[in-house]
Each structure stands twice: as structure tokens, then as C-alpha cells.
């Protein structure tokens, strides 16, 4: 693909997929959470929430199990967002909270689902 070419819809979705995988790597890793802080970890997901509709994240770039994993994670995200103050308490305090633990494990579970097919190319349409 040329540097100035407009990417196809599928290529854009592949890039979105890769960013979502990166998010799950962050949200599912307590060490990464500590590095970025809870406010950033939680707030960053808001960038992707408007895409949580199958029509916006279609196959073949997103599989049905991947969409389900994202929706399950989103439920845990809402639980965290609804019970924590703004600004959020330090990560060390959150780690003992069962809702935060669910948030972290839901992100790790979603990452495991996405890892089955892995990242897609950023430069060419993947054959899926």
C-alpha cells in the first residue's frame, strides 16, 4: 500500500483490532496498570465502546467469540466505572477490590480469545 493511499475499511478494522488487543494487554496486566494508573486504564476503553456493535466490528476481522469477549469485558468495565470515584483511588487499593479483580481477569480473558487469531497486518488485508 502506498504511504498516501486511503486504507480499505477492512484494513482500518484490522488496525482497530490491533489497538483493542493492545488495550486488553494493558488492562489485563497489573504491572501495566500500575505504570499507567487506573484512570487511564479505565478511560481508554471509552474510545472503543461506541464500536461494540457487531455491525461496526464485522467478520472476518472480528469473530463471534471475540465480540462476546469484548461485551463481557465491557460489563466488567461498567461495574468498575460505576463503583469508583473520580479520580480513582491508587491502583494498590483497587487490586483488593473484587470488581477490579473481575475487570482485570475479564481483560485477560478477552486477550486470550483474541490471541487465538492474533494481531492482523497493519498494511495489507488479512486473509481470514
Amino acid at each position: 500500500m502506498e504511504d498516501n493511499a486511503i486504507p480499505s475499511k477492512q484494513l482500518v478494522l484490522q488496525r482497530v483490532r490491533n489497538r483493542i488487543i493492545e488495550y486488553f494487554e494493558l488492562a489485563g496486566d497489573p504491572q501495566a496498570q500500575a505504570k499507567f494508573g487506573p484512570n487511564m486504564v479505565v478511560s481508554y476503553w471509552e474510545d472503543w465502546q461506541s464500536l461494540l456493535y457487531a455491525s461496526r466490528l464485522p467478520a472476518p476481522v472480528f469473530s463471534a467469540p471475540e465480540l462476546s469477549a469484548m461485551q463481557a469485558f465491557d460489563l466488567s468495565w461498567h461495574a468498575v466505572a460505576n463503583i469508583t470515584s473520580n479520580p480513582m483511588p491508587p491502583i494498590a487499593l483497587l487490586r483488593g477490590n473484587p470488581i477490579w479483580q473481575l475487570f482485570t481477569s475479564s481483560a485477560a480473558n478477552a486477550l486470550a480469545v483474541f490471541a487465538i487469531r492474533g494481531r492482523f497486518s497493519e498494511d495489507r488485508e488479512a486473509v481470514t
Side-chain angles (χ1 to χ4, degrees):
M1 183 165 120
E2 293 180 29
D3 289 344
N4 60 356
I6 297 173
S8 68
K9 180 179 179 179
Q10 179 168 329
L11 191 57
V12 169
L13 288 170
Q14 287 174 198
R15 293 172 182 173
V16 166
R17 172 193 178 80
N18 293 346
R19 301 299 79 78
I20 289 172
I21 290 171
E22 290 168 0
Y23 175 76
F24 288 139
E25 289 171 338
L26 166 64
D29 180 354
Q31 290 179 329
Q33 292 173 354
K35 180 179 176 184
F36 289 95
N39 281 1
M40 181 178 171
V41 172
V42 171
S43 296
Y44 186 45
W45 183 247
E46 289 176 304
D47 294 344
W48 306 115
Q49 282 183 314
S50 65
L51 295 174
L52 287 181
Y53 301 99
S55 63
R56 293 190 180 157
L57 298 176
V61 177
F62 293 87
S63 69
E66 290 164 351
L67 291 173
S68 293
M70 288 176 64
Q71 291 168 339
F73 172 78
D74 193 56
L75 292 174
S76 70
W77 180 90
H78 278 286
V80 164
N82 290 334
I83 65 142
T84 54
S85 60
N86 189 6
M88 297 179 79
I91 198 79
L93 293 176
L94 285 171
R95 283 191 181 138
N97 184 313
I99 298 295
W100 188 262
Q101 292 168 355
L102 175 63
F103 171 84
T104 300
S105 66
S106 293
N109 290 342
L111 179 60
V113 172
F114 274 83
I116 293 168
R117 296 192 313 148
R119 285 182 170 81
F120 288 179
S121 173
E122 300 261 339
D123 300 318
R124 66 184 186 296
E125 291 185 9
V127 178
T128 55

